[in-house]
Amino acid sequence: MMTTKLLLLPGDGIGLETMAEVVKLVAVMNEATNAGFETETALVGGSAYDDCGKPVSDATMDLAMQADAILFGAVGGSKWDGVAYDLRPEAGLLRLRKDMELFANLRPAICYPALAGSSSLKREVIEGLDILIVRELTGGVYFGEPKEIIDLGNGQKRAIDTQVYETYEIERIARAAFDLARTRRGKVTSMEKRNVMKSGLYWNEVVTRIHRDEHADLELEHMLADSGGMQLVRAPKQFDVIVTDNLFGDMLSDIAAMLTGSLGMLPSASLGAVDAKTGKRHALYEPVHGSAPDIAGQGIANPLAMIASLAMCLRYSFAMIAEADALEAAVAEVLGSGIRTGDIMSDGCRKIGTAEMGDAVRDSFRKKLAA
């Protein structure tokens, strides 16, 4: 039996608690399907900084490069607010994304039927929501140079961040979005700020060309990113796949996340290019939520986004479609049974903690695998 290497990077805060629930599910797959998963756990973020003075060590980076996929929890917390900028916990995640060339960030926003009432929007606006935001992840303003704060010498300073995109970066994220749309409803909405930003103007030009030359049978629309944020709140079901740059993708995906009722419900995938020789790609899967240090260690965190990230891992890294479908169905079934963690609690439901929610999903998942 071939083995598959999963690197677990729980990180900080609730990342440790939610990752523990994923470990249960990996064990179920190994028992029920002989999946052959081998896991190794390493430090990242604040915990890594406390251990070795870096947010991710070179040894952990070596493990990441060798892994078939990475499951990532969350990093950060007020404990590390005074750490130098380039050593902050989040820099560990940025290094993983950059060094592994994880250029495509996939963030689904799905409204489970049982949670339609948890959204701040009306049920008829949100029920049945299923959109996918494809965010460019290794370029743009987060990585552009120069990036600095300059002392002007007169009591004033100038802070500089640079928005930079090259042709190939836009081409590959556009292709990823069109390829994904082809497996869904066939519509891509590209969002930028071409009215005020040269990078947005060029983004629009390149996406238009890729559509015309390679995917003309699919639907493409262009929308200014600020208008897109408004439309996500007004009528989110008009969208299928949204493709956008690093900065706007960060903001728009959080808006989309809250449409569903809780950041604790949403997973994400960060994918590299497929290696032409091996057919494999680097991939990292993580929940959209943060480390939530205010509730860490209390056993009350919602593990479902971390669990859904495992489902994305099964789907995109290992083509285990039946298992991914079964895991997502298990989450829906558990929610339909009326149990909730505190962040998604509603009238008439029973409130439970992290481990009990994980156990419920595990038990449902096991039954579905055996069916």
Side-chain angles (χ1 to χ4, degrees), residues 112-114 265 304 326-338 340 361 364 368:
Y112 289 94
M265 289 300 303
L304 294 179
L327 184 51
E328 290 169 351
V331 171
E333 181 176 84
V334 166
L335 290 171
S337 73
R340 302 281 190 274
V361 174
S364 176
K368 293 183 184 303

Side-chain angles (χ1 to χ4, degrees), residues 149-330:
I149 299 176
I150 300 172
D151 192 334
L152 300 178
N154 58 356
Q156 299 292 307
K157 294 183 179 181
R158 177 181 295 134
I160 301 171
D161 291 286
T162 306
Q163 170 85 340
V164 178
Y165 271 110
E166 297 185 22
T167 306
Y168 79 94
E169 294 175 299
I170 306 172
E171 288 177 335
R172 66 185 182 182
I173 197 67
R175 289 188 177 108
F178 286 119
D179 287 343
L180 288 162
R182 193 171 295 282
T183 69
R184 294 169 53 90
R185 301 189 297 278
K187 178 182 178 182
V188 173
T189 304
S190 176
M191 296 189 184
E192 26 64 12
K193 283 288 289 180
R194 63 189 180 277
N195 57 335
V196 292
M197 297 173 67
K198 289 290 187 179
S199 60
L201 191 66
Y202 189 55
W203 180 285
N204 180 281
E205 176 185 321
V206 174
V207 173
T208 299
R209 172 172 54 80
I210 294 296
H211 174 252
R212 182 194 66 222
D213 294 348
E214 302 177 21
H215 299 279
D217 59 312
L218 300 179
E219 181 182 355
L220 170 65
E221 69 173 353
H222 295 283
M223 190 174 291
L224 296 178
D226 51 348
S227 177
M230 182 269 288
Q231 290 294 331
L232 275 170
V233 176
R234 188 187 72 83
K237 288 187 284 187
Q238 69 181 281
F239 300 112
D240 180 18
V241 174
I242 296 172
V243 62
T244 189
D245 73 9
N246 207 340
L247 175 62
F248 295 134
D250 197 356
M251 294 185 286
L252 291 168
S253 57
D254 277 6
I255 293 172
M258 284 312 299
L259 299 179
T260 68
S262 172
L263 277 171
M265 289 300 303
L266 297 179
S268 73
S270 299
L271 308 178
V274 175
D275 188 293
K277 294 181 179 179
T278 65
K280 297 182 178 180
R281 70 167 98 218
H282 290 308
L284 181 149
Y285 301 88
E286 61 175 316
V288 173
H289 63 69
S291 61
D294 56 319
I295 63 169
Q298 299 178 39
I300 60 174
N302 185 348
L304 294 179
M306 190 73 247
I307 290 170
S309 296
L310 173 62
M312 291 189 78
C313 175
L314 298 176
R315 188 177 303 280
Y316 292 111
S317 280
F318 307 122
M320 297 173 67
I321 308 303
E323 291 84 353
D325 287 346
L327 184 51
E328 290 169 351

Side-chain angles (χ1 to χ4, degrees), residues 136-157:
E136 199 291 321
L137 201 57
T138 58
V141 73
Y142 290 176
F143 294 100
E145 297 290 345
K147 179 185 290 289
E148 58 189 342
I149 299 176
I150 300 172
D151 192 334
L152 300 178
N154 58 356
Q156 299 292 307
K157 294 183 179 181

